[in-house]
Amino acid sequence: MSSLLEIKNLTTRFYTQDGVVRAVNGISYSIDPGATLGVVGESGCGKSVSMLSVMRLIPDPPGKIEDGEVFFDGRDLLKLSDDEMRRVRGAEVAMVFQDPMTSLNPVLTVGFQIGEALKLHQGVNDKEARRQSAELLDLVGIPNAEDRLDDYPHQFSGGMRQRAMIAMGLSCNPQLLIADEPTTALDVTIQAQIIDLVKRLQEQLGMAVIWITHDLGVVARLTKRVIVMYAGYIIEDAPVKMLYGSPRHPYTIGLLGSLPRLDAPPGTQLLSIPGQPPDLVALPEGCPFAPRCTFVADRCLEENPGLETVAPEHQVACWEKDKTEGVWASVR
């Protein structure tokens, strides 16, 4: 099966008064049609910037996509004209952002904003756009959908606004939905509802989903494959069961160790990762995680490792990966 989206050596920089921010540093991966992919890591690791680069939404200046290729359905999105890219956004690739209150226009009705995408990409008239908008709100679980079309975003709860954003993203039946931490500002019960909604819609519509988050619990429920990012690099790539059962990068082990577990024995201490995230303006020469790593060796301080296969479909970027094998089993 050919990949739906294939990213090769994507590199994005921000040119600021403090220096050049190396936000995304030559990442490469692909996703097949109908597949689910989780992208995890702490704030500032490049998760959102990489997806904004794919969508060509990096503000220029100060941002610039310096290098790479982003093939979607056989076309390099980075080489399309602005008009061609506008036809791709929403119609073929849709993105749901983190905060629906700032993503939705507060002075336009929800129905108008959903219908706008339908009229732009599908050429329907106002009456048909309103009918389809009501169907979409109903699809994402908003009751009395027809009556809610004339409401403004502030009249929706946080969970309903996020559902409206998902409805907007699905309005043109995209092949790929990118969800950028869409449950971060919601309480846990609404988070669970949104996750179940996306799973159901994916199965129903057959679209691929990339879910960006720092919440490993969400990833376990939703995705089948996980990419872990740190300092703008991909440092581990594995099927979700393999990553949770046998993580190999010290950073991934630390992330999983900091997550409370229902099956942990009483008195089990959560792990913590020492130190601070690296300064993306002044990244170290070697592995960016080396200053915080308990397995650090001389080579780690001098040379940044690339991804290497340690098991079928499992890649890790670590010089000391032989030492990390079995570590998670001993601390979990």
Side-chain angles (χ1 to χ4, degrees), residues 226 228 235-254 256-257 261 308-316 321-332:
V226 188
V228 183
I235 52 97
E236 192 155 8
D237 180 350
V240 66
K241 289 184 179 179
M242 190 173 294
L243 188 91
Y244 281 69
S246 182
R248 296 292 296 275
H249 197 283
Y251 177 65
T252 311
I253 294 171
L256 290 170
R261 299 172 59 95
E308 293 186 10
T309 300
V310 294
E313 301 183 78
H314 190 171
Q315 294 180 302
V316 63
K321 55 186 174 293
D322 292 338
K323 294 181 181 179
T324 62
E325 187 174 9
V327 167
W328 176 239
S330 66
V331 300
R332 59 187 300 182

Side-chain angles (χ1 to χ4, degrees), residues 7-330:
I7 298 172
K8 297 181 178 180
N9 196 40
L10 181 63
T11 305
T12 303
R13 303 280 184 263
F14 289 90
Y15 294 85
T16 71
Q17 292 180 341
D18 296 326
V20 180
V21 178
R22 297 163 60 186
V24 179
N25 300 306
I27 67 171
S28 301
Y29 63 88
S30 62
I31 181 172
D32 293 332
T36 55
L37 173 69
V39 182
V40 303
E42 60 196 37
S43 297
C45 72
K47 307 183 302 293
S48 297
V49 172
S50 64
M51 289 298 100
L52 290 172
S53 300
V54 167
M55 297 292 285
R56 295 259 303 271
L57 292 174
I58 296 294
D60 182 8
K64 185 177 180 182
I65 301 171
E66 294 278 10
D67 195 12
E69 298 170 308
V70 178
F71 289 100
F72 177 78
D73 206 17
R75 296 161 294 168
D76 187 352
L77 299 184
L78 302 185
K79 293 183 179 178
L80 297 183
S81 68
D82 289 344
D83 285 341
E84 290 172 327
M85 191 63 206
R86 273 192 287 269
R87 287 193 286 272
V88 170
R89 290 191 208 104
E92 299 179 58
V93 185
M95 191 164 181
V96 177
F97 296 94
Q98 181 173 347
D99 185 356
M101 198 61 206
T102 57
S103 301
L104 291 167
N105 191 320
V107 299
L108 298 175
T109 65
V110 170
F112 178 89
Q113 295 182 67
I114 298 174
E116 190 175 29
L118 291 164
K119 289 187 283 187
L120 174 65
H121 292 295
Q122 297 188 359
V124 299
N125 58 32
D126 289 345
K127 183 178 179 180
E128 180 63 16
R130 183 177 178 86
R131 184 189 69 79
Q132 291 189 30
S133 297
E135 288 182 353
L136 286 162
L137 286 184
D138 184 64
L139 179 68
V140 297
I142 293 182
N144 304 315
E146 177 72 32
D147 297 333
R148 302 309 300 266
L149 289 174
D150 296 320
D151 286 350
Y152 290 87
H154 73 271
Q155 295 174 278
F156 278 41
S157 67
M160 291 175 67
R161 285 195 293 268
Q162 198 57 277
R163 288 172 185 265
M165 284 293 298
I166 292 172
M168 194 180 304
L170 298 176
S171 59
C172 298
N173 296 317
Q175 299 176 63
L176 173 64
L177 177 69
I178 300 171
D180 185 5
E181 303 202 45
T183 62
T184 297
L186 307 176
D187 63 59
V188 291
T189 54
I190 303 301
Q191 282 185 27
Q193 292 174 13
I194 295 297
I195 292 166
D196 290 340
L197 170 65
V198 172
K199 288 176 68 176
R200 176 173 59 83
L201 292 174
Q202 184 198 16
E203 293 170 0
Q204 185 175 337
L205 304 175
M207 62 184 175
V209 174
I210 297 177
W211 191 282
I212 305 168
T213 184
H214 60 268
D215 189 336
L216 288 161
V218 169
V219 168
R221 290 189 58 189
L222 188 64
T223 69
K224 295 182 179 178
R225 177 174 156 232
V226 188
I227 284 173
V228 183
M229 291 190 66
Y230 186 81
Y233 296 94
I234 294 175
I235 52 97
E236 192 155 8
D237 180 350
V240 66
K241 289 184 179 179
M242 190 173 294
L243 188 91
Y244 281 69
S246 182
R248 296 292 296 275
H249 197 283
Y251 177 65
T252 311
I253 294 171
L255 281 182
L256 290 170
S258 66
L259 194 67
R261 299 172 59 95
L262 292 175
D263 59 351
T268 299
Q269 295 292 316
L270 297 180
L271 298 181
S272 63
I273 301 174
Q276 298 292 326
D279 182 355
L280 296 181
V281 176
L283 283 173
E285 268 192 43
C287 173
F289 189 64
R292 308 173 71 183
C293 184
T294 56
F295 297 90
V296 65
D298 290 342
R299 189 180 186 185
C300 305
L301 301 173
E302 300 167 357
E303 188 179 356
N304 192 13
L307 286 169
E308 293 186 10
T309 300
V310 294
E313 301 183 78
H314 190 171
Q315 294 180 302
V316 63
C318 179
W319 293 125
E320 299 298 303
K321 55 186 174 293
D322 292 338
K323 294 181 181 179
T324 62
E325 187 174 9
V327 167
W328 176 239
S330 66

